[in-house]
Amino acid sequence: MDKNTININKLPSKTWYWLHMNDTKVSWNPEIAPCKVTVEETFEDKETNSLISGDAAEFVTVESGAGREATIRLAVDGTTATSAAGACYLTAEEGTDTTIIETFTKKSAQAGSLAYRTMIQAKKDSRVRLVQVFMQDEEQTLLNDIGCVCDENAKFDILQIFIGKGDLYNGIRTDLKGTGADTQVEIGYLGQKTQKIDVNLIINHFGKKTNCEIQVDGTLKDAAEKVFRGTIDFKNGASESTGAETENVLLLGDDVINKTIPIILCAEEDVEGSHGATIGELDEETLFYFESRGIDKETAEDIMTRGKFEMLYRHIGDEQTQKLVEAQLAEVMADDREEL
């Protein structure tokens, strides 16, 4: 099957081309089928918990992280067992509080690809919390795309956990349009073998007194490759706004490739933005601590990796999903240990 090349995860402000971080080119099967989405729970009281399946036409002005070029359509001519796509449209009405948990899995011997888009309109004083857990198979490529617009005092929180199987291309864009709008982003990942993790995160501050906080924690092993683009953009008119971005990367392989590019763009004077990153191996002091207690280097690395994820998945707030994450993490780390 011939594949098309799509251009996704574009930086809003380009850097040097030799860094190969301005965008990402992905080979994609143009013949896709709708993915299967199972809804396990529904809201009976729609006045207090407004989870509305919006019309796609209402979201034409909502941009997403991967970009318009990565448009995935649900109406597809023909079907295939290996490639699928789907989308979710959500409107959170004024004053509501909604949590969405999306779990991505594929248990199949066939290689394939999955594309999924989540588009959210958070209206005045609403709160939307999106939890995404990526647990696809080793041979599967996942394109995940998120777009959100936050009105006055709306809050959009994202928690993403990627646990070491398959390749992930992840685009996130949030537009803080209303005064006092806020977004909190937590991303945790484990990359191993020859996996690719490509993340493009864009937070646009349009309204006054808007705020964003970004925390990314990851571990790379073997020959895994990761690119993280994190952009905080203070637009003209976003006075008294704040933004902070932090990434911590633990490198546990001689052949890993890690690329991190934090960007702060500013067209407004009265704003406050910060970013920072820590990237490195386990330090000698930490290794000595473990060795003095009879713990070898490989086991110490496993303990540190598990510890990072335990801190993160305890924030999910859903026992069933937490158990899925624990089981996937144990499986992935056991598979990696068997190949050593």
Side-chain angles (χ1 to χ4, degrees):
M1 178 63 63
D2 293 334
K3 292 188 176 183
N4 292 341
T5 299
I6 58 176
N7 199 20
I8 64 172
N9 284 356
K10 298 178 182 179
L11 277 174
S13 179
K14 292 183 178 180
T15 184
W16 293 284
Y17 279 99
W18 61 268
L19 291 174
H20 302 293
M21 295 181 67
N22 286 318
D23 52 32
T24 296
K25 292 180 174 57
V26 181
S27 296
W28 203 262
N29 184 354
E31 296 186 11
I32 56 177
C35 66
K36 180 180 179 182
V37 180
T38 302
V39 180
E40 296 182 353
E41 296 181 4
T42 59
F43 293 109
E44 295 182 0
D45 186 353
K46 293 185 178 179
E47 292 183 356
T48 57
N49 294 287
S50 183
L51 183 59
I52 302 174
S53 178
D55 190 303
E58 298 177 9
F59 291 81
V60 294
T61 60
V62 181
E63 295 288 348
S64 58
R68 285 292 183 182
E69 193 171 339
T71 298
I72 308 299
R73 294 175 175 81
L74 293 177
V76 180
D77 293 331
T79 61
T80 172
T82 58
S83 297
C88 171
Y89 297 94
L90 169 74
T91 297
E93 295 294 347
E94 183 175 335
T96 58
D97 189 338
T98 304
T99 297
I100 313 162
I101 298 176
E102 297 176 340
T103 304
F104 298 83
T105 60
K106 182 180 180 182
K107 302 299 180 183
S108 171
Q110 294 178 305
S113 57
L114 171 64
Y116 197 81
R117 170 169 285 158
T118 303
M119 305 294 272
I120 295 171
Q121 179 76 48
K123 295 189 176 181
K124 181 181 177 181
D125 295 324
S126 66
R127 181 179 184 269
V128 178
R129 184 167 183 262
L130 174 63
V131 178
Q132 294 184 318
V133 180
F134 307 111
M135 302 188 297
Q136 67 267 30
D137 281 348
E138 291 184 8
E139 300 301 323
Q140 186 180 21
T141 297
L142 172 62
L143 170 56
N144 182 65
D145 197 21
I146 298 172
C148 179
V149 172
C150 293
D151 293 340
E152 182 180 350
N153 292 324
K155 184 174 176 60
F156 178 46
D157 294 341
I158 305 173
L159 172 60
Q160 292 183 323
I161 300 177
F162 174 70
I163 313 174
K165 284 195 173 186
D167 295 334
L168 173 66
Y169 297 90
N170 187 24
I172 306 168
R173 171 170 166 162
T174 302
D175 289 349
L176 303 175
K177 289 203 169 181
T179 300
D182 181 278
T183 186
Q184 310 285 315
V185 180
E186 286 186 284
I187 300 175
Y189 60 84
L190 168 61
Q192 60 180 16
K193 300 179 181 177
T194 58
Q195 289 172 301
K196 294 181 180 179
I197 302 171
D198 192 295
V199 182
N200 188 40
L201 172 62
I202 304 169
I203 309 294
N204 291 316
H205 293 256
F206 290 96
K208 294 183 177 180
K209 299 181 180 180
T210 53
N211 176 68
C212 76
E213 294 183 21
I214 302 164
Q215 180 67 48
V216 182
D217 289 285
T219 300
L220 297 175
K221 306 176 69 175
D222 309 319
E225 179 178 349
K226 184 229 75 181
V227 178
F228 174 71
R229 309 170 187 83
T231 301
I232 299 173
D233 193 350
F234 296 104
K235 304 290 188 179
N236 187 28
S239 59
E240 300 181 66
S241 294
T242 57
E245 174 185 351
T246 304
E247 184 185 18
N248 302 304
V249 188
L250 181 60
L251 306 179
L252 301 179
D254 295 333
D255 298 319
V256 300
I257 298 175
N258 178 71
K259 298 179 182 179
T260 299
I261 181 164
I263 297 174
I264 294 180
L265 303 175
C266 189
E268 181 65 51
E269 293 184 2
D270 186 17
V271 296
E272 181 179 341
S274 64
H275 60 72
T278 59
I279 302 169
E281 303 175 349
L282 288 179
D283 59 81
E284 294 298 325
E285 184 177 343
T286 301
L287 289 175
F288 177 78
Y289 173 86
F290 282 110
E291 289 173 356
S292 65
R293 286 156 177 77
I295 300 174
D296 60 32
K297 180 180 178 181
E298 288 75 17
T299 304
E301 291 176 348
D302 286 351
I303 292 173
M304 294 298 291
T305 300
R306 288 180 182 275
K308 278 178 170 285
F309 272 97
E310 284 181 5
M311 292 178 62
L312 194 62
Y313 67 64
R314 293 186 189 281
H315 295 170
I316 293 175
D318 179 78
E319 184 177 357
Q320 180 179 347
T321 307
Q322 287 181 200
K323 289 181 178 179
L324 285 174
V325 173
E326 290 175 356
Q328 177 78 356
L329 181 59
E331 178 184 333
V332 167
M333 297 188 70
D335 288 347
D336 186 59
R337 182 61 60 215
E338 289 175 359
E339 293 189 5
L340 295 178

